[in-house]
Amino acid sequence: PHPPHTHARTQATVAVLEKFGERREAGRSRTEYLAQLKRDLATYYGYNEFMIDMYLNMFSVAEALELMEANEVPRPVTLRTNTLKTRRRELAAALIQRGVSLDPIGPWSKVGLVVYETKVPIGATPEYMAGHYMLQGASSFMPVMALAPQPEETVVDMAAAPGGKTTYIAALMRNTGTVFANEINKDRLKSITGNLTRLGVTNTVVCNYDGKELPQVLGQRSVDRVLLDAPCSGTGVVSKDPSVKTSKSQQDIWRCGHLQKQLLLAAIDLVDANSTTGGYVVYSTCSVCVEEDEAVVNYALRKRNVKVVPTGLEFGREGFIRYRDFRFHPSLKHARRFYPHAHNLDGFFVCKLKKLSNDI
């Protein structure tokens, strides 16, 4: 007989592993089943061994399969209403008139809309050109909501291109105070200035430094809040960039983690612990790797006077406080993880820190 189709065999193997005691074939070890499963997953979904191992370490077998399945499907198209220029209700009405089918994104956001189908290019409507909205993945609302910037504050967005988060910060501050939008890559500055202009943001200064230099440039302890949406391996956005399935290794993850630790310390050094309204840093990545997420924050807890505080986000899973050989500070449960299969968002990590003192 023909060998069963890989996918069918995968499903069968998962079923056995879920209730191993009662379902396994006599004489076949769990290790054998797992090795078979890994081979089938690699064939069917096209991941390298490193990625498959990571998923299987992080989730039950059945849930790892759900995640891989969700990675095959694009996330919904979402947009953020620019409240500097319009209200969500008015924007929705205008777009519906143009043949766009949409809905509010969910009870957790007052400004998001999800687009089901559209008769017009959604990135070229008159409303888009006039800056009434930003096309923006739903997961990238989260870090800004956690940051919760206040009017009249001084805020830094350390890795700002293409400006979705920066413009959201400016809108929450109602164009008051000052936002520094930093981007290390010169070629990406155009995307920020273009979006700032289109959306009518007037409180933002664009700068082009290595984020690690910002405490020297802007001054240590000089700002109220910092958002560090860190450069990362992108293991949370496989549906956008399928090359991640095979291009990442443990070395890449460690390299990212090393840079992220340096950037996070710089972010903390920028913030003034004595700010009357702020003193917060939000750290986020579009990676699901613990080495880029909880491990980076845990490092900062050891090196600086900061504590993890609740993000204020009403959903998402708790951060890990133990993972394989890692043991993290118990407060990391306040961090939040988002997954494609669980929340229909890109894989994402958000953690909020409060600076307790300006002494290192």
Side-chain angles (χ1 to χ4, degrees):
H2 290 294
H5 186 272
T6 339
H7 191 49
R9 186 168 59 201
T10 301
Q11 303 284 14
T13 311
V14 168
V16 172
L17 286 166
E18 288 288 279
K19 291 201 171 153
F20 191 66
E22 58 192 67
R23 291 181 181 164
R24 70 173 178 159
E25 282 173 43
R28 276 192 80 185
S29 68
R30 192 177 178 89
T31 316
E32 279 177 71
Y33 276 103
L34 267 173
Q36 179 67 64
L37 177 69
K38 286 180 188 182
R39 286 195 300 273
D40 288 345
L41 290 174
T43 306
Y44 188 75
Y45 292 106
Y47 288 91
N48 65 13
E49 196 178 346
F50 166 72
M51 290 288 284
I52 288 176
D53 282 340
M54 180 181 71
Y55 287 156
L56 291 174
N57 282 322
M58 206 170 274
F59 302 104
S60 72
V61 179
E63 194 172 6
L65 197 63
E66 278 179 43
L67 174 55
M68 289 184 195
E69 205 46 61
N71 279 343
E72 297 303 301
V73 187
R75 302 280 73 78
V77 174
T78 51
L79 53 89
R80 177 180 56 79
T81 309
N82 177 19
T83 52
L84 295 173
K85 292 198 173 190
T86 186
R87 293 196 177 97
R88 181 166 70 175
R89 203 175 48 236
E90 291 157 11
L91 174 63
L95 290 175
I96 287 166
Q97 283 274 284
R98 296 194 189 279
V100 182
S101 153
L102 45 73
D103 260 332
I105 207 163
W108 54 271
S109 169
K110 293 188 174 71
V111 293
L113 290 165
V114 56
V115 176
Y116 300 118
E117 48 187 345
T118 174
K119 298 186 171 69
V120 291
I122 198 74
T125 61
E127 286 75 18
Y128 179 86
M129 303 299 195
H132 290 199
Y133 62 94
M134 179 89 183
L135 283 170
Q136 195 168 348
S139 56
S140 75
F141 289 38
M142 303 296 169
V144 180
M145 291 168 68
L147 189 67
Q150 303 299 305
E152 302 297 348
E153 286 186 333
T154 302
V155 177
V156 177
D157 184 351
M158 280 181 82
K165 297 181 185 75
T166 307
T167 51
Y168 191 6
I169 290 170
L172 290 174
M173 293 166 67
R174 302 195 197 103
N175 252 344
T176 65
T178 310
V179 181
F180 290 98
N182 181 66
E183 172 55 47
I184 188 171
N185 181 345
K186 236 194 171 72
D187 301 332
R188 300 187 76 197
L189 295 173
K190 275 255 186 12
S191 65
I192 306 177
T193 50
N195 282 318
L196 291 172
T197 309
R198 184 172 61 84
L199 295 171
V201 172
T202 54
N203 67 346
T204 299
V205 179
V206 178
C207 48
N208 174 217
Y209 294 99
D210 180 332
K212 298 192 287 288
E213 298 167 10
L214 286 177
Q216 279 59 60
V217 176
L218 297 174
Q220 299 203 353
R221 306 179 295 282
S222 63
V223 310
D224 298 298
R225 292 174 204 249
V226 176
L227 174 61
L228 171 57
D229 183 47
C232 71
S233 65
T235 50
V237 288
V238 176
S239 70
K240 269 201 201 83
D241 180 9
S243 75
V244 172
K245 290 179 175 186
T246 52
S247 64
K248 300 301 169 190
S249 68
Q250 187 66 61
Q251 271 59 43
D252 295 317
I253 306 304
W254 281 330
R255 206 167 29 244
C256 285
H258 179 68
L259 171 61
Q260 290 156 344
K261 286 170 182 169
Q262 294 174 294
L263 287 169
L264 182 51
L265 294 190
I268 293 165
D269 292 342
L270 276 169
V271 164
D272 179 10
N274 302 324
S275 158
T276 51
T277 56
Y280 295 99
V281 172
V282 166
Y283 174 75
S284 62
T285 72
C286 55
S287 168
V288 296
C289 299
V290 171
E291 294 89 336
E292 296 182 79
D293 295 344
E294 290 87 349
V296 172
V297 175
N298 204 61
Y299 171 83
L301 293 177
R302 293 207 313 274
K303 295 286 182 187
R304 293 291 186 272
N305 255 310
V306 290
K307 68 173 179 178
V308 181
V309 294
T311 56
L313 302 170
E314 50 202 64
F315 68 110
R317 295 202 185 160
E318 292 187 351
F320 286 105
I321 50 180
R322 47 192 306 160
Y323 173 78
R324 305 195 73 197
D325 300 337
F326 289 111
R327 296 295 175 270
F328 300 125
H329 193 274
S331 64
L332 271 153
K333 72 174 192 297
H334 293 309
R336 284 292 171 265
R337 291 178 148 264
F338 301 93
Y339 298 115
H341 66 289
H343 310 104
N344 203 9
L345 300 167
D346 289 323
F348 217 77
F349 174 81
V350 182
C351 186
K352 186 172 189 174
L353 297 169
K354 173 86 168 103
K355 190 167 178 179
L356 299 172
S357 142
N358 286 326
D359 310 331
I360 284 182

